[in-house]
């Protein structure tokens, strides 16, 4: 990542647009050159997300919401968010599996990925649009009311990178709402067009504060609107939890403060030193043993009453879909062992995934029963 200096929001937005234009211009030349390696990588089939382990098939719906009471801090106008709602389905027969990314989002993600996460393959090398989730589009929900979990992704990541854990949580009988945060997510496809990230390096303190405050507002707005969603009849609004990764974990904890609707929160390696975190609800603090920010994490978590857990031989993005995808890229020769280690660690991805699912699922089972 390139260093990021303190600059205005207007400059950040302008820089994002100029950066996107440059990346897209370069992509045209790179695509033809990389086409042969794309076919080579595809010889073993497309990248695959691991299947959920619960007894229920998973349905998926996409929802767009607009908050007329808040101004978007990055581009002005009413604040918009995109959601993916995953839920236990009654049947999925004859219904297609949703792609992880739409064709337009996949193209933008391919351009941005190696800039947001150094060492990921160059544009044109991987067919990101071929990755399928295990959520079936518009499947009818299983009857009954279910606990609800909201998820906030890491800074610079879109909601789709939280699919694997969310689908597993949904397959065990929960409704999971993946929340996108336009402006800092790499890409968000809104009804009015594609929004790309303002981040091209670690955010300066002022930008980080804006990110977190905006995410907290987004999460609370979605909580306000849960009863209006198409699947409202399947939601038990008396059993609501939040979880998030990195900046999403930070936002989840701060959103829980002073909001009695949230019964439990899980922070997957997010700093809590933006302001004091004071909680009277169950809290899970989950980290990896390889994260370079471990000292800051531990300092910011000091003194908090919480359950604690650790993923061994893992690194920061093992909490996301990169935990499954990056080892596949390494096996195909598309990322180096050093890149794999820096992103997700060197541990067995299946073992890491099982530990993550078991710990997060068990935490919410205990506190949302």
């Amino acid at each position: 990542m390139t260093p990021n200096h303190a600059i205005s929001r207007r400059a950040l937005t302008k820089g994002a647009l100029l950066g996107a234009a440059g990346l897209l211009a370069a992509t045209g030349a790179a695509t033809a050159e990389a086409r042969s390696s794309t076919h080579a990588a595809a010889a073993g089939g497309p990248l695959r997300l691991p299947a959920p382990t619960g007894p229920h098939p998973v349905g998926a719906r996409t929802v767009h919401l607009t908050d007329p009471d808040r101004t978007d801090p990055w581009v002005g106008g009413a604040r918009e968010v995109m959601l993916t709602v995953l839920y236990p389905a009654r049947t999925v027969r004859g219904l297609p599996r949703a792609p992880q990314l739409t064709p337009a989002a996949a193209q933008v993600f391919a351009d941005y990925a190696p800039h947001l996460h150094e060492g990921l393959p160059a544009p044109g090398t991987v067919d990101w649009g071929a990755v399928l989730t295990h959520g079936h589009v518009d499947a009818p929900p299983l009857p009954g009311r279910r606990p609800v979990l909201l998820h906030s992704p890491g800074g610079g990541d879109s909601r789709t990178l939280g699919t694997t854990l969310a689908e597993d949580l949904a397959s065990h009988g929960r409704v999971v709402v993946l929340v996108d945060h336009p402006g800092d997510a790499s890409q968000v496809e809104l009804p009015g067009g594609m929004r790309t990230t303002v981040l091209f390096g670690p955010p300066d303190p002022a930008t980080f504060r804006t990110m977190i405050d905006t995410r907290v507002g987004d999460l609370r707005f979605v909580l306000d609107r849960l009863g209006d969603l198409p699947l409202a009849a399947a939601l038990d609004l008396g059993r609501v939890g939040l979880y998030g990764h990195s900046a999403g974990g930070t936002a989840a904890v701060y959103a829980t403060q002073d909001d009695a609707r949230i019964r439990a929160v899980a922070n997957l390696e997010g700093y809590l030193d933006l302001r004091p975190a004071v909680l009277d609800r169950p809290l899970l603090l989950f980290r990896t043993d390889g994260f370079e920010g471990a000292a800051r994490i531990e300092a910011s978590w000091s003194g908090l009453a919480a359950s604690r857990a650790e993923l061994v031989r893992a690194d920061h993005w093992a909490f996301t879909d990169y935990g499954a995808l990056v080892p596949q890229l390494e096996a195909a020769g598309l990322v180096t062992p050093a890149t794999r280690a820096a992103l997700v660690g060197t541990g067995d991805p299946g073992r890491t995934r099982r530990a993550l699912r078991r710990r997060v699922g068990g935490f919410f089972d205990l506190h949302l029963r």
Side-chain angles (χ1 to χ4, degrees):
M1 293 185 182
T2 57
N4 195 6
H5 303 285
I7 52 180
S8 69
R9 294 173 190 168
R10 182 184 298 272
L12 278 167
T13 304
K14 182 178 179 182
L17 295 174
L18 292 175
L23 286 170
L24 291 171
T27 300
T31 299
E33 182 179 338
R35 194 167 287 137
S36 60
S37 61
T38 302
H39 291 313
L47 296 172
R48 297 181 182 276
L49 294 177
T53 61
H56 306 296
V58 177
R61 296 191 187 181
T62 302
V63 178
H64 168 252
L65 297 176
T66 300
D67 184 355
D69 298 325
R70 288 192 302 145
T71 300
D72 190 295
W74 313 114
V75 296
R79 180 66 176 168
E80 298 177 82
V81 295
M82 291 298 297
L83 314 176
T84 297
V85 185
L86 302 170
Y87 51 92
R90 178 171 52 82
T91 180
V92 296
R93 181 173 297 178
L95 296 172
R97 288 164 58 186
Q100 187 180 31
L101 295 167
T102 65
Q107 180 180 348
V108 176
F109 176 75
D111 295 335
Y112 274 83
H115 296 268
L116 293 170
H117 300 296
E118 185 177 353
L120 287 181
T125 309
V126 176
D127 186 0
W128 295 106
V131 182
L132 292 178
T133 72
H134 295 273
H136 296 260
V137 179
D138 294 336
L142 196 68
R145 292 188 176 272
R146 310 286 168 182
V148 185
L149 301 176
L150 271 62
H151 173 257
S152 180
D157 289 343
S158 71
R159 72 189 190 278
T160 59
L161 284 168
T163 296
T164 298
L165 177 57
E167 287 183 338
D168 195 69
L169 292 167
S171 75
H172 286 275
R174 312 167 186 96
V175 177
V176 184
V177 182
L178 301 175
V179 183
D180 244 332
H181 304 286
D184 75 74
S186 54
Q187 81 290 323
V188 181
E189 192 168 4
L190 296 163
M194 190 73 68
R195 283 279 300 278
T196 54
T197 185
V198 303
L199 300 178
F200 286 93
D204 60 83
T207 303
F208 183 68
R209 182 176 294 276
T210 299
M211 282 174 53
I212 300 304
D213 289 346
T214 303
R215 285 163 170 261
V216 168
D218 290 345
L219 291 171
R220 288 179 171 169
F221 168 63
V222 173
L223 285 168
D224 292 341
R225 296 293 300 274
L226 286 177
D228 301 326
L229 296 183
L231 291 161
L235 310 182
D236 184 347
L237 300 184
R239 293 188 288 167
V240 175
L242 300 188
Y243 73 104
H245 171 241
S246 195
T250 305
V253 171
Y254 289 136
T256 299
Q257 292 184 161
D258 304 318
D259 195 323
R261 295 173 293 184
I262 304 163
R263 287 180 50 178
V265 58
N267 175 6
L268 312 182
E269 210 155 58
Y271 300 124
L272 294 178
D273 51 9
L274 184 63
R275 52 183 174 266
V278 181
L279 285 179
D280 58 358
R281 257 68 55 82
L283 170 64
L284 172 63
L285 297 175
F286 206 169
R287 52 162 291 194
T288 64
D289 64 353
F291 182 42
E292 64 180 3
R296 181 181 168 191
I297 283 285
E298 284 301 317
S300 74
W301 291 358
S302 177
L304 288 172
S307 301
R308 292 176 179 256
E310 182 177 82
L311 290 177
V312 298
R313 297 181 62 199
D315 215 319
H316 193 55
W317 281 276
F319 289 112
T320 74
D321 292 347
Y322 287 126
L325 298 177
V326 169
Q328 295 176 58
L329 293 173
E330 183 196 18
L334 296 174
V335 303
T336 66
T339 293
R340 181 244 177 97
L343 287 174
V344 302
T346 61
D348 174 75
R351 182 176 300 174
T352 300
R353 181 168 59 252
R354 289 189 294 273
L356 172 62
R357 288 170 163 178
R358 182 171 60 250
R359 194 67 179 86
V360 174
F363 172 76
F364 284 117
D365 273 347
L366 177 64
H367 298 294
L368 300 184
R369 282 188 302 202

